[in-house]
Amino acid sequence: MSRKTAVTPTRAQNYPEWYQQVIRAADMAENSSVRGCMIIKPWGYGIWERLQQQLDRRFKETGHQNCYFPLFIPMSLIATEAAHVEGFAKEMAVVTHHRLVKDGDRLRPDAELEEPLVVRPTSEMIIGQAMADWIQSYRDLPMLLNQWANVVRWEMRPRLFLRTSEFLWQEGHTAHATAEEAMEETRRMLEIYRQVVEDVMAVPVIPGEKSESERFPGADRTLTIEAMMQDGRALQAGTSHFLGQNFAKAVNMRYQDREGGLQYCWTTSWGVSTRLIGAMIMAHGDDNGLRLPPMLAPHQVVIVPIIRSPDQRGTVLEAANRLAARIREQSWKDAGIRCHVDEREIPAPDKRWEWIKKGVPVVCELGPLDIEKGVATFTMRNGLDEGRVSVPLDEFAGSLPERLQATHDGLYNDVLAYRQAKTATDLKTFEEFREYFGKDNASSDSNRGFARAKWSGNPESEEKLKELGVTIRCLPFDQSETEGRCILTGEPATTDAIFARAY
Amino acid sequence: MSRKTAVTPTRAQNYPEWYQQVIRAADMAENSSVRGCMIIKPWGYGIWERLQQQLDRRFKETGHQNCYFPLFIPMSLIATEAAHVEGFAKEMAVVTHHRLVKDGDRLRPDAELEEPLVVRPTSEMIIGQAMADWIQSYRDLPMLLNQWANVVRWEMRPRLFLRTSEFLWQEGHTAHATAEEAMEETRRMLEIYRQVVEDVMAVPVIPGEKSESERFPGADRTLTIEAMMQDGRALQAGTSHFLGQNFAKAVNMRYQDREGGLQYCWTTSWGVSTRLIGAMIMAHGDDNGLRLPPMLAPHQVVIVPIIRSPDQRGTVLEAANRLAARIREQSWKDAGIRCHVDEREIPAPDKRWEWIKKGVPVVCELGPLDIEKGVATFTMRNGLDEGRVSVPLDEFAGSLPERLQATHDGLYNDVLAYRQAKTATDLKTFEEFREYFGKDNASSDSNRGFARAKWSGNPESEEKLKELGVTIRCLPFDQSETEGRCILTGEPATTDAIFARAY
């Protein structure tokens, strides 16, 4: 017998459609009338704002300064770095006119630009050009910049949060005197991403390095954190790029060293985007909707007043607000607990389910009977099976920091346990490997999870993965240091790699 | 004898050029390689971040929720509201292609869109379209949304912060059940702008209503706050629009009322932008650079260590950081005082002048002699003429809240006194009016300030202002309620109006 769930279809029935329905049930975002561009609704944006705050604080603590660069990039400038333009030219929005004029009843573009402008898909070139101007000597280094911005990469198969033509992100851009310092920065920022995704978003990740074919266009090295979603696929949750001197040479970014010689800078870039919200949904959501890591929840506790007759309204709302005030005095992770009293005039059960679908960690119902008995009756989002729990009102507020921590830990541990269960570590031959992943990307039970196996490092061997729709997600930093044989070629190999199908 | 100033030319010599040079001296922003698009550098962006925080907090306190809508608007959608498209169509960036391809050595746009997309100049239409979808009944009202975003209005004569093709702003969009509630919202948001510009930015403003010809395209009423710059010109510092049912009708935004009937919503929109930073510079800057209102200063106090020999470095830096720690324990306006120790290895006098030009309220120099004598030697940015001041080190930190408040009040009162001195209130005839403003906009001494005089309300009479380059800035809320004669036509009139040349 199947239980009724708040979201249809369930994850098991149709994972991609379940994803869309969770976003709808939680009222986070929707498609707009412009293909591929999404509308981020208040609940989705509130989560993004909290993620931004957590990242921004850490960027500032590590000496980065925010700034803002133009949305538009001249077409000729983006063409300057060869690998870069190859990687991005195929999917950019191009502005060609700067006016609309009436043409009968309709409008048409007018005033053609001398040079077309590209809407930034990323800002290495335009920020690099400015930094080249600003950097004179070693005293100006390191230069550590970040911007919060919208970017556009035209998408043919858009999906909310995961792949949209316009998305919001931050992009860090730094310049250094030496390769070592730039590489240290590349690692430092990946570590910040790891902290935020694991400690704030409660999603465990595997940090590592990309193979050559998966690098950012124009980068010498790309570091990544990879997370497993509930269909076994990988999602790249953040990347940090060591750009060598490639971009510095493209924009002539040089500095005078202590001896008076002119040197090219070494640069990095790193970014995370609203895609992380997609990762959060796919890692934590269940068949009743979203489950929010408490640090990102716009409301950590919602109180739903139960009012059965108009004369109860005053007493119940007063008690609810008194309870909310006590809850807000509690703190967790150095911030007051965020509690909301839902005073709307709609039926209480509808409210309760709305907040459950939106993923609020604790939903408390408070009616005249609870007040009389002095108890709080509540539902833990991460313990729906246990149903409603009652504890003495006096204890409830004080128990919340511990309950929020338990929710965070529970979410994290579930994803970790799932990933461990869905990671094959004992594949020995390419035949076993092919068997494990299934014939191709399209076969229905093909989302088998990760495989951790040896890889020779030979770029050509990655060709064999293409037919399977599998990629090397990363060469994890945490290497076993054992010797074995490459899973693709059978050659002797020492490097561990993570293989998976990916978003 | 003219004194040497840090900024050349001075305000008196060439005000527009002085403005550019202050921005340069304070390292706030610069032009990019894309005409009309600026780069906001860390010092400028840090000011914007603080302004954002102050606004955002107040928006949330008044029940508004942040969200995010697409950058692109289909051309046909923007054409739906007639007055609106008339007002904006002339200055929009138009995306016509979504790909670049190689054409020999160069790139060219490819993959033409079926319908051109406009880069949003403002979002009434695209947000209105979504709200029309979301609003079903009176229970969904009021709907109170805000977004922080970049917008593009093609500018032929760009000026940093004041008029740029791309700028950053917030735009609030709300829907209400009745005209009264929408008008109340329109007033509430103007009042929030007044608070932030006066209480945070220290710039006094005149709140009032725009005459018909100066309204936002598509609005029934536009409220504004108007500030006077140091050349006597007006700058519109924020506007709040009562849109009536114009946009609701254009996008069919209706709700079911309590009786079951279908009604069009009443909507508002309101926005302020990075232009406010231009206003702040022009209101407070002096011939030595920027003067920052302390609530917006990224650093409120900077300590410049004076180190004359390498062996002093340790002792002086330790003392400087100890002092900084004590300063950060002090609070002003419910926040810890922001203090920075400038440890760069460049000459101390250069550092001092750099921070003076950047407008830091208090610049403290700390050397071995100061430490020995137990004094703090500092310069108040808003008291440069008094030069350096010394007070016992023990008193210094404790005196800072008061000093920052005095700086804020001093800046505010200076602008207010200037505005009062530069506002004519005794003009009786159009001849006197014409005499006051000078023949035309271009004459060199034509920036005479404001005139407060009676106006009949007759739209045609505004035609007479055009030749003078003067506009009605607003009909101030604070009306004298006296009877008199219209300054333009001589007709009997009771309404007071503020006339000025404007940015």
Side-chain angles (χ1 to χ4, degrees):
Chain A
M1 196 189 91
S2 74
R3 286 170 52 190
K4 189 156 161 35
T5 57
V7 175
T8 323
T10 62
R11 286 164 292 180
Q13 287 165 346
N14 184 340
Y15 190 78
E17 180 58 22
W18 163 84
Y19 173 77
Q20 305 286 347
Q21 292 306 323
V22 170
I23 292 172
R24 189 191 178 92
D27 202 24
M28 298 173 79
E30 65 184 40
N31 291 307
S32 74
S33 58
V34 180
R35 185 170 164 72
C37 292
M38 68 177 160
I39 297 170
I40 308 179
K41 300 182 79 172
W43 193 250
Y45 200 83
I47 295 164
W48 177 240
E49 280 181 304
R50 279 167 183 85
L51 199 52
Q52 280 189 300
Q53 285 160 14
Q54 293 288 339
L55 289 160
D56 198 64
R57 178 165 65 75
R58 287 169 174 84
F59 297 159
K60 285 174 175 153
E61 282 168 2
T62 45
H64 300 84
Q65 293 187 297
N66 285 337
C67 46
Y68 188 76
F69 289 82
L71 172 67
F72 300 128
I73 304 175
M75 190 173 66
S76 58
L77 178 60
I78 208 148
T80 315
E81 214 288 334
H84 190 59
V85 70
E86 285 291 331
F88 284 106
K90 285 169 192 150
E91 38 174 348
M92 296 195 279
V94 189
V95 176
T96 54
H97 296 73
H98 68 81
R99 191 175 297 151
L100 293 180
V101 290
K102 279 200 171 172
D103 191 358
D105 268 4
R106 312 185 58 176
L107 296 171
R108 65 169 169 79
D110 190 41
E112 190 166 357
L113 295 169
E114 279 183 35
E115 181 181 4
L117 299 172
V118 163
V119 180
R120 64 181 160 220
T122 181
S123 304
E124 274 72 11
M125 294 309 298
I126 196 138
I127 296 185
Q129 192 184 46
M131 288 170 87
D133 259 7
W134 301 341
I135 294 168
Q136 306 296 326
S137 92
Y138 68 91
R139 286 193 197 85
D140 301 317
L141 298 175
M143 186 168 281
L144 307 174
L145 302 179
N146 177 63
Q147 87 172 355
W148 291 94
N150 53 345
V151 287
V152 173
R153 300 175 186 179
W154 212 259
E155 281 292 347
M156 293 303 163
R157 295 182 310 282
R159 287 187 76 187
L160 292 170
F161 291 117
L162 290 179
R163 214 168 38 227
T164 49
S165 289
E166 182 191 16
F167 55 91
L168 304 181
W169 79 344
Q170 60 68 219
E171 47 183 322
H173 296 271
T174 70
H176 306 262
T178 66
E180 292 65 36
E181 286 174 40
M183 198 57 222
E184 194 185 319
E185 167 80 5
T186 309
R187 285 197 199 92
R188 182 184 301 118
M189 300 324 287
L190 191 80
E191 169 58 15
I192 283 180
Y193 291 157
R194 188 201 63 74
Q195 282 174 19
V196 170
V197 175
E198 296 199 331
D199 303 347
V200 174
M201 218 168 80
V203 175
V205 292
I206 300 176
E209 180 161 357
K210 287 288 187 192
S211 62
E212 188 181 340
S213 67
E214 296 284 327
R215 277 181 206 143
F216 176 76
D220 277 1
R221 298 176 68 178
T222 287
L223 308 184
T224 181
I225 48 174
E226 299 283 328
M228 186 188 282
M229 304 295 99
Q230 289 179 77
D231 60 353
R233 287 185 182 238
L235 189 142
Q236 174 181 303
T239 47
S240 183
H241 315 292
F242 172 73
L243 303 175
Q245 296 183 316
N246 304 330
F247 285 87
K249 284 178 177 166
V251 297
N252 197 27
M253 189 196 298
R254 294 197 284 181
Y255 73 96
Q256 194 162 43
D257 64 22
R258 282 174 193 265
E259 288 73 41
L262 266 185
Q263 308 286 348
Y264 283 108
C265 296
W266 298 82
T267 70
T268 83
S269 68
W270 28 275
V272 296
S273 73
T274 37
R275 192 167 206 237
L276 276 182
I277 297 180
M280 181 197 77
I281 297 166
M282 286 205 297
H284 297 317
D286 68 14
D287 297 337
N288 289 306
L290 191 61
R291 293 192 300 175
L292 279 174
M295 286 184 80
L296 295 179
H299 309 319
Q300 293 168 322
V301 182
V302 168
I303 301 175
V304 174
I306 313 276
I307 299 161
R308 297 197 202 280
S309 63
D311 61 305
Q312 296 174 341
R313 191 171 166 84
T315 324
V316 173
L317 287 187
E318 198 199 5
N321 282 296
R322 209 163 44 229
L323 178 59
R326 281 170 63 183
I327 291 171
R328 291 184 192 118
E329 281 167 16
Q330 303 294 317
S331 79
W332 179 63
K333 300 268 188 191
D334 297 328
I337 290 183
R338 298 185 287 273
C339 178
H340 173 70
V341 179
D342 183 353
E343 301 194 359
R344 290 174 302 163
E345 295 185 31
I346 56 172
D350 293 356
K351 290 190 198 179
R352 175 173 178 262
W353 269 105
E354 184 179 320
W355 295 115
I356 286 173
K357 289 187 286 185
K358 279 174 175 285
V360 169
V362 186
V363 180
C364 174
E365 292 158 288
L366 191 73
L369 227 66
D370 299 293
I371 298 170
E372 204 182 298
K373 290 197 279 182
V375 298
T377 302
F378 60 95
T379 308
M380 294 300 300
R381 180 63 182 89
N382 202 16
L384 269 193
D385 289 344
E386 295 147 39
R388 292 178 174 84
V389 182
S390 288
V391 300
L393 215 43
D394 289 339
E395 286 173 36
F396 180 56
S399 75
L400 287 170
E402 204 174 304
R403 290 180 192 279
L404 294 179
Q405 186 63 51
T407 296
H408 175 93
D409 294 343
L411 291 173
Y412 182 93
N413 291 331
D414 283 355
V415 180
L416 186 61
Y418 181 81
R419 188 182 83 195
Q420 284 165 343
K422 295 270 279 185
T423 300
T425 56
D426 54 355
L427 305 177
K428 295 279 175 262
T429 65
F430 187 64
E431 284 62 44
E432 286 176 23
F433 184 90
R434 179 152 45 191
E435 181 82 2
Y436 175 73
F437 278 109
K439 263 201 298 295
D440 58 54
N441 196 10
S443 51
S444 62
D445 61 345
S446 66
N447 296 324
R448 291 297 302 275
F450 291 1
R452 185 179 173 121
K454 294 290 175 193
W455 181 54
S456 67
N458 179 347
E460 284 165 35
S461 67
E462 288 183 80
E463 287 296 314
K464 295 180 83 168
L465 294 171
K466 280 199 181 155
E467 52 167 309
L468 300 176
V470 171
T471 47
I472 295 180
R473 301 315 303 157
C474 70
L475 315 177
F477 293 152
D478 174 27
Q479 288 282 320
S480 65
E481 308 290 351
T482 57
E483 295 192 3
R485 291 198 168 271
C486 174
I487 193 76
L488 303 180
T489 63
E491 295 170 271
T494 54
T495 306
D496 298 327
I498 304 290
F499 299 84
R501 295 208 172 89
Y503 280 95
Chain B
M1 196 189 92
S2 73
R3 287 170 52 189
K4 189 155 161 36
T5 58
V7 175
T8 322
T10 62
R11 286 164 291 180
Q13 287 165 346
N14 184 340
Y15 190 78
E17 180 58 23
W18 163 83
Y19 174 76
Q20 305 286 347
Q21 292 305 322
V22 170
I23 292 173
R24 189 192 179 91
D27 201 24
M28 298 173 79
E30 65 184 40
N31 290 308
S32 75
S33 57
V34 181
R35 187 171 162 71
C37 292
M38 69 178 159
I39 298 169
I40 308 179
K41 300 182 79 172
W43 194 248
Y45 200 83
I47 295 164
W48 176 241
E49 281 181 303
R50 279 168 182 84
L51 198 52
Q52 280 189 301
Q53 285 160 13
Q54 293 287 340
L55 288 161
D56 198 65
R57 178 165 65 75
R58 288 168 173 84
F59 297 159
K60 285 175 175 153
E61 283 169 2
T62 46
H64 300 84
Q65 294 187 296
N66 284 337
C67 47
Y68 188 77
F69 289 83
L71 173 67
F72 300 127
I73 304 174
M75 191 172 66
S76 58
L77 177 60
I78 207 147
T80 314
E81 214 287 335
H84 190 58
V85 70
E86 285 291 332
F88 283 106
K90 285 170 194 151
E91 38 175 349
M92 297 195 278
V94 188
V95 176
T96 54
H97 296 73
H98 68 82
R99 192 174 299 152
L100 292 181
V101 290
K102 279 201 172 169
D103 192 357
D105 269 2
R106 313 184 57 176
L107 295 171
R108 66 171 168 78
D110 189 40
E112 189 166 357
L113 296 169
E114 279 184 36
E115 181 182 5
L117 298 171
V118 163
V119 180
R120 64 182 160 220
T122 180
S123 304
E124 274 72 12
M125 294 309 298
I126 196 137
I127 296 185
Q129 193 185 46
M131 287 169 88
D133 260 7
W134 300 342
I135 294 169
Q136 305 296 326
S137 91
Y138 68 91
R139 286 193 197 85
D140 301 317
L141 299 175
M143 186 168 283
L144 308 174
L145 302 180
N146 177 63
Q147 87 171 356
W148 290 94
N150 52 344
V151 287
V152 173
R153 300 175 187 179
W154 212 258
E155 282 292 347
M156 294 303 163
R157 296 181 311 282
R159 288 187 76 188
L160 292 171
F161 292 116
L162 291 178
R163 215 167 37 227
T164 49
S165 290
E166 181 191 15
F167 56 91
L168 304 182
W169 80 345
Q170 60 68 218
E171 47 182 324
H173 296 272
T174 71
H176 307 262
T178 65
E180 292 66 34
E181 286 174 41
M183 198 57 222
E184 195 184 318
E185 167 81 4
T186 310
R187 284 196 200 93
R188 181 184 302 119
M189 301 323 288
L190 191 81
E191 169 59 14
I192 283 181
Y193 290 156
R194 188 202 61 74
Q195 282 173 19
V196 170
V197 175
E198 295 199 332
D199 303 347
V200 174
M201 218 168 81
V203 175
V205 292
I206 300 176
E209 181 161 356
K210 287 288 186 192
S211 62
E212 188 180 341
S213 68
E214 296 284 327
R215 275 180 208 146
F216 176 76
D220 277 1
R221 298 178 68 178
T222 287
L223 309 184
T224 181
I225 47 174
E226 299 283 328
M228 186 188 283
M229 304 294 100
Q230 289 179 78
D231 60 353
R233 288 186 182 238
L235 188 141
Q236 175 181 303
T239 48
S240 184
H241 314 292
F242 171 73
L243 303 175
Q245 296 183 316
N246 304 330
F247 285 87
K249 285 178 178 167
V251 297
N252 196 29
M253 190 195 300
R254 296 197 284 181
Y255 73 96
Q256 195 163 42
D257 63 23
R258 283 173 192 265
E259 288 73 42
L262 266 187
Q263 308 286 347
Y264 282 108
C265 296
W266 299 83
T267 69
T268 83
S269 69
W270 28 275
V272 296
S273 73
T274 36
R275 192 168 206 233
L276 276 182
I277 297 180
M280 180 198 77
I281 298 166
M282 287 205 298
H284 297 316
D286 68 14
D287 296 337
N288 288 307
L290 191 61
R291 294 192 300 175
L292 280 173
M295 287 184 78
L296 295 180
H299 309 318
Q300 293 168 322
V301 182
V302 168
I303 300 175
V304 174
I306 312 276
I307 299 161
R308 298 198 202 279
S309 63
D311 61 305
Q312 296 174 343
R313 189 170 168 85
T315 324
V316 173
L317 287 186
E318 199 202 2
N321 282 297
R322 209 164 44 230
L323 178 59
R326 279 172 63 184
I327 291 171
R328 290 183 193 121
E329 282 166 15
Q330 302 293 318
S331 79
W332 178 64
K333 299 269 187 189
D334 297 328
I337 290 181
R338 297 186 287 272
C339 178
H340 173 70
V341 180
D342 183 354
E343 301 195 0
R344 290 173 301 164
E345 295 184 33
I346 56 172
D350 293 356
K351 290 189 199 179
R352 175 173 179 261
W353 270 105
E354 184 178 319
W355 296 115
I356 286 173
K357 288 187 288 185
K358 279 175 176 285
V360 169
V362 186
V363 180
C364 174
E365 292 158 287
L366 191 73
L369 226 66
D370 299 293
I371 298 170
E372 204 182 299
K373 288 198 280 182
V375 297
T377 301
F378 61 95
T379 308
M380 294 300 298
R381 181 62 184 88
N382 202 15
L384 269 194
D385 289 345
E386 294 146 39
R388 292 177 173 86
V389 182
S390 289
V391 301
L393 213 44
D394 290 340
E395 287 174 36
F396 179 58
S399 75
L400 286 169
E402 204 173 304
R403 291 181 192 278
L404 294 178
Q405 185 63 50
T407 296
H408 175 93
D409 294 343
L411 291 172
Y412 182 93
N413 290 331
D414 283 355
V415 180
L416 186 61
Y418 181 81
R419 188 183 83 195
Q420 284 165 342
K422 295 270 279 186
T423 300
T425 55
D426 55 355
L427 305 177
K428 295 278 175 263
T429 65
F430 187 64
E431 284 62 43
E432 286 176 23
F433 184 89
R434 180 155 39 196
E435 181 83 1
Y436 175 73
F437 278 110
K439 262 201 299 294
D440 58 53
N441 195 12
S443 50
S444 62
D445 60 345
S446 66
N447 296 324
R448 291 297 302 274
F450 291 2
R452 186 180 173 120
K454 294 290 176 193
W455 181 53
S456 67
N458 179 347
E460 283 164 36
S461 67
E462 286 182 82
E463 287 296 312
K464 294 180 84 169
L465 294 171
K466 281 197 180 156
E467 53 168 307
L468 300 176
V470 170
T471 47
I472 295 180
R473 301 316 302 158
C474 70
L475 316 177
F477 293 152
D478 173 27
Q479 289 282 319
S480 64
E481 309 290 350
T482 57
E483 296 191 3
R485 291 196 168 272
C486 174
I487 192 76
L488 303 181
T489 63
E491 297 169 273
T494 53
T495 306
D496 298 328
I498 303 290
F499 299 84
R501 295 208 171 90
Y503 280 94

